[in-house]
Amino acid sequence: GGNSWSERKNLLFAGGDLPDAFYGHGILNETVEIVKYGSKGAIIPLEGLIGKYAPNVRSLFAAHPEYKRLLTAPDGHIYSLPTINEAYAVTKPALFINKRWLDSLGLPLPGTTEEFARALMAFKSRDMNGNGLPDEISFTFMASDRNADLASFFGSFGQIDRRDHLALVNGKVVYTATQPEYKGAIEYFHLLFGRGLVDPESFTQNSKVYSAKISRNNAVGAFVAWNTNSVGLPDDSDYVPLPPLAGPDGDQMWAGFEPGILFKGSFAITSANRHPDLTMRWIDSMYDPLVSMQAVHGMIGSSLTELPDGNYKSVSPPPGADPETFRGVPETSRTVWAVTWESEANLIPVNRRKSPKSQLDKLYEPFLVYNEYPKIYFTEAENDQISRYMTDIATYADQMYAKWMVSGGIEQEWNGYLRRLNDMGLSSLLNIYQEAYDRYQANTKVNK
């Protein structure tokens, strides 16, 4: 489990009994450990080794200088290698509604937040699944899962929310959970909760419960998810995606995510390694486009077939076969790779166009806002400050988010809430994020 591994890792570093390298998805925590152990010399700088022994990493950096910048610590060194996936979708969740239910009520697809609320009311008041029980759930989501939460939906009220409530607006770091737009969104969702239109388990359910509820019960009107397959629905289900709804002032926005670095800390070489040159040559082979492609899509000859034109296409597993076994990718090569837009378009052109997820991306594309705070490194001092402030601030903000949606009270409690966040050090926290961002931007200009 996660915690026992952190403890073991701390012991390894404390006792100095280090392995030659660390390998695995985000095995080193990018917010704290890479800078900490890099500055202590326990993991070594890689830029010299990359220059000499890593042609694939070098060409990745040449094509994408932004990755090199994101991997450069404040002291100027690169201490770890990433997992990169640009084939990844730019939208995380999408909003789906039960088209069969709408049709049977003679209702159009909702285009505004008001029409959405009206559709949910209609779902609630009629026995939509015809079983004689009032068991319909008009709308459900998963607050704790960024692929099924409401952050994007907030865009209908003038500002999308972000997971940690940090957004960049014209180069300034903003805490979304103190903005008037955030308050407007919460008031709307409280209205839905107050009328019994939202699943009360939305703040507690896990993905297993969520999928079962949507795919088996025939009792859900609308939900948020990565796509319909991710919650166990077949391709020809009753649900269709809704473009972002227009809010009270006509706002239509959805959260965009820059595809790219999934994990910054997937590989690092330690000071105990006697042959870092060989280790670097070995790991560089994982960044070969053909090797990376197989790590993600499966092995050539099993789940990939070579076409006469030199491209590849994905093959579905035969009926009854275990998809993982069919892909044939050894466990040990699943974590460090770089799948780029170019390699995807060149090697597996059909995947880009055909996947249900790329069709969802197309639907949301005109409305996407990219205001995520980038995955940049902080200094050790900044990390200490962030963990000191962020824990209390985030816990309090999330607690009020749920309370206000379910039970209301935001109008009366808003000013007290803002004061309390201020007392907890919100402005100091935002200053730290702002300074780190400005430093990153300054380096970006120098390196261009």
Side-chain angles (χ1 to χ4, degrees):
N3 266 351
S4 55
W5 167 236
S6 320
E7 281 159 30
R8 265 192 56 202
K9 197 161 38 169
N10 290 340
L11 288 172
L12 286 175
F13 280 111
D17 185 15
L18 289 168
D20 283 347
F22 284 94
Y23 174 98
H25 268 165
I27 189 162
L28 293 179
N29 173 309
E30 57 198 32
T31 43
V32 181
E33 294 176 338
I34 295 168
V35 169
K36 178 175 166 184
Y37 295 127
S39 63
K40 291 195 162 70
I43 55 177
I44 64 170
L46 304 178
E47 59 278 1
L49 294 164
I50 292 169
K52 282 199 189 116
Y53 307 111
N56 291 312
V57 174
R58 281 202 305 277
S59 49
L60 180 70
F61 286 173
H64 299 273
E66 70 276 16
Y67 294 155
K68 186 176 178 181
R69 289 198 300 273
L70 281 169
L71 290 162
T72 303
D75 65 8
H77 290 304
I78 292 175
Y79 291 111
S80 70
L81 291 176
T83 305
I84 288 175
N85 194 354
E86 293 186 356
Y88 210 53
V90 287
T91 54
K92 288 231 190 305
L95 176 62
F96 295 91
I97 195 160
N98 195 319
K99 178 84 164 64
R100 196 167 51 86
W101 288 10
L102 288 172
D103 291 348
S104 72
L105 295 164
L107 290 172
L109 283 178
T112 66
T113 48
E114 204 170 307
E115 289 167 4
F116 183 70
R118 257 201 305 261
L120 299 185
M121 294 282 283
F123 291 166
K124 173 88 178 159
S125 58
R126 307 278 278 277
D127 180 18
M128 295 310 302
N129 57 6
N131 64 359
L133 300 168
D135 59 352
E136 282 74 16
I137 296 166
S138 295
F139 178 49
T140 186
F141 64 93
M142 269 194 298
S144 61
D145 183 334
R146 61 190 299 181
N147 295 329
D149 66 7
L150 296 176
S152 278
F153 203 144
F154 274 52
S156 299
F157 300 87
Q159 184 180 57
I160 55 170
D161 191 18
R162 287 288 180 181
R163 199 55 208 262
D164 44 12
H165 306 308
L166 289 176
L168 271 174
V169 181
N170 304 324
K172 288 279 160 279
V173 181
V174 170
Y175 198 65
T176 54
T178 58
Q179 309 301 311
E181 295 89 346
Y182 179 89
K183 182 167 173 256
I186 287 188
E187 282 166 339
Y188 171 78
F189 290 113
H190 173 57
L191 220 71
L192 302 185
F193 268 102
R195 294 178 179 164
L197 305 176
V198 190
D199 183 356
E201 290 179 359
S202 294
F203 288 98
T204 51
Q205 58 196 350
N206 63 24
S207 50
K208 219 184 184 130
V209 170
Y210 194 62
S211 295
K213 190 178 282 181
I214 293 166
S215 58
R216 295 196 204 127
N217 292 0
N218 185 24
V220 170
F223 63 88
V224 185
W226 174 259
N227 63 18
T228 48
N229 307 134
S230 67
V231 287
L233 289 165
D235 285 337
D236 56 353
S237 77
D238 295 330
Y239 295 92
V240 297
L242 281 180
L245 300 166
D249 299 326
D251 291 302
Q252 276 178 289
M253 291 174 221
W254 206 254
F257 290 83
E258 293 283 358
I261 294 184
L262 289 185
F263 301 104
K264 281 163 71 171
S266 294
F267 191 82
I269 298 177
T270 73
S271 56
N273 189 319
R274 305 233 301 282
H275 301 284
D277 51 338
L278 298 180
T279 306
M280 181 54 80
R281 275 196 178 126
W282 168 73
I283 200 65
D284 186 62
S285 65
M286 286 305 300
Y287 291 98
D288 175 295
L290 267 184
V291 176
S292 286
M293 172 186 81
Q294 294 176 84
V296 175
H297 296 294
M299 303 299 279
I300 296 168
S302 54
S303 56
L304 284 177
T305 302
E306 188 165 0
L307 302 170
D309 63 4
N311 283 328
Y312 297 87
K313 81 171 199 175
S314 292
V315 187
S316 302
D322 169 48
E324 275 307 311
T325 317
F326 179 68
R327 285 177 66 231
V329 182
E331 286 272 339
T332 47
S333 53
R334 287 183 191 172
T335 58
V336 178
W337 35 263
V339 167
T340 62
W341 235 104
E342 304 87 25
S343 67
E344 278 291 280
N346 296 339
L347 296 168
I348 317 187
V350 280
N351 280 24
R352 291 297 315 182
R353 293 193 299 275
K354 288 273 169 59
S355 81
K357 193 59 186 172
S358 52
Q359 284 154 13
L360 284 173
D361 276 348
K362 266 198 204 66
L363 179 69
Y364 285 93
E365 206 135 359
F367 309 101
L368 295 180
V369 176
Y370 293 93
N371 63 356
E372 218 183 352
Y373 188 86
K375 289 187 166 179
I376 57 186
Y377 283 127
F378 301 101
T379 63
E380 252 193 288
E382 286 165 344
N383 272 325
D384 291 346
Q385 297 270 317
I386 287 171
S387 55
R388 209 178 85 206
Y389 294 118
M390 191 50 138
T391 319
D392 293 347
I393 288 173
T395 307
Y396 174 58
D398 289 347
Q399 185 191 333
M400 296 311 283
Y401 177 97
K403 174 194 179 288
W404 286 332
M405 275 195 197
V406 179
S407 324
I410 193 168
E411 196 46 66
Q412 305 82 311
E413 295 169 13
W414 183 250
N415 291 337
Y417 160 82
L418 294 180
R419 275 197 302 276
R420 182 150 174 214
L421 283 172
N422 226 28
D423 295 343
M424 288 175 155
L426 180 59
S427 55
S428 310
L429 179 70
L430 293 179
N431 282 338
I432 296 164
Y433 279 107
Q434 188 67 53
E435 276 171 29
Y437 179 71
D438 293 343
R439 179 178 65 225
Y440 166 70
Q441 285 296 86
N443 290 343
T444 303
K445 289 196 182 70
V446 173
N447 294 336
K448 267 206 171 137

